[in-house]
Amino acid sequence: DSGVTQTPKHLITATGQRVTLRCSPRSGDLSVYWYQQSLDQGLQFLIQYYNGEERAKGNILERFSAQQFPDLHSELNLSSLELGDSALYFCASSVEVAGAHNEQFFGPGTRLTVL
Amino acid sequence: KNQVEQSPQSLIILEGKNCTLQCNYTVSPFSNLRWYKQDTGRGPVSLTIMTFSENTKSNGRYTATLDADTKQSSLHITASQLSDSASYICVVRDTGRRALTFGSGTRLQVQP
């Protein structure tokens, strides 16, 4: 158990809909990362938040957005869903201390199926 | 464009044998390189993290090497076990955008 929690575990929805994925980082970790992993594909970095502020951006679509709240939990919002958005969405957290390795701890993922 | 390429794409070995996985990257400026193990349907778990000045790092039966000059890394698994069956992912972080670039992974299957 990494200490990172994600809800829901599974999500099934229809094209055009909007969903929200939730992530709670490990206690003490200030940074949250979001990743997308399509079937049999590698992990794609979407976005990173640090202490409530966006820190780095990857290949995140404009239809997707994220935020980190004062209690450090994060939400990833996916809108106007398409069939191709079906994937595993992982959240990871790290301490993000300057000069340190800052290992990322991954949650169990949310499996999104768009029908 | 930052890229991380891994080889082979998949590998089958017999239990008890050793194997080496390769990672080539073009990420610049380089910050660190990580190897992760990912069981099917589960989140990745970190095996090693190496910075520019580190050439070798071990974690039990896993040993990672880094050649920052040639931008190559390898992950050597010794005396493989059935539980080593997983995808192994090479990830490189740059100091500029602070973003992570993931390789597509090597899928390892250890057979009895």
Side-chain angles (χ1 to χ4, degrees), chain A:
Chain A
D1 184 3
S2 66
V4 178
T5 60
Q6 289 186 249
T7 57
K9 194 171 184 178
H10 299 278
L11 195 52
I12 301 174
T13 188
T15 55
Q17 295 298 305
R18 172 190 170 97
V19 297
T20 297
L21 312 183
R22 182 186 169 104
C23 168
S24 292
R26 292 189 323 151
S27 176
D29 284 357
L30 297 178
S31 195
V32 169
Y33 299 76
W34 285 100
Y35 298 91
Q36 179 192 57
Q37 187 172 38
S38 301
L39 186 64
D40 292 333
Q41 298 292 314
L43 281 158
Q44 293 288 326
F45 167 65
L46 296 178
I47 198 164
Q48 177 199 1
Y49 277 82
Y50 174 79
N51 204 20
E53 301 284 329
E54 181 184 306
R55 172 164 278 198
K57 216 167 187 176
N59 301 319
I60 188 166
L61 300 173
E62 286 191 11
R63 300 184 286 109
F64 296 0
S65 65
Q67 55 184 327
Q68 187 178 27
F69 294 88
D71 67 351
L72 300 178
H73 90 270
S74 178
E75 293 181 353
L76 179 67
N77 301 296
L78 314 176
S79 60
S80 302
L81 285 168
E82 302 174 0
L83 295 178
D85 297 328
S86 295
L88 265 170
Y89 290 84
F90 287 104
C91 166
S93 75
S94 70
V95 174
E96 288 300 308
V97 174
H101 286 258
N102 296 309
E103 179 179 345
Q104 291 187 24
F105 295 87
F106 283 78
T110 292
R111 183 173 293 280
L112 173 66
T113 301
V114 182
L115 300 175

Side-chain angles (χ1 to χ4, degrees), chain B residues 4 23 25 27 30 32-34 90-94 99-101:
Chain B
V4 175
C23 171
Y25 62 92
V27 176
F30 175 86
N32 59 55
L33 183 147
R34 310 156 186 230
C90 176
V91 185
V92 182
R93 182 169 184 162
D94 69 72
L100 297 173
T101 304

Side-chain angles (χ1 to χ4, degrees), chain B residues 46-68:
Chain B
S46 179
L47 295 175
T48 64
I49 302 176
M50 289 186 293
T51 59
F52 184 89
S53 59
E54 296 174 297
N55 300 119
T56 304
K57 186 163 276 191
S58 292
N59 178 0
R61 295 179 297 102
Y62 301 101
T63 299
T65 65
L66 173 65
D67 186 333

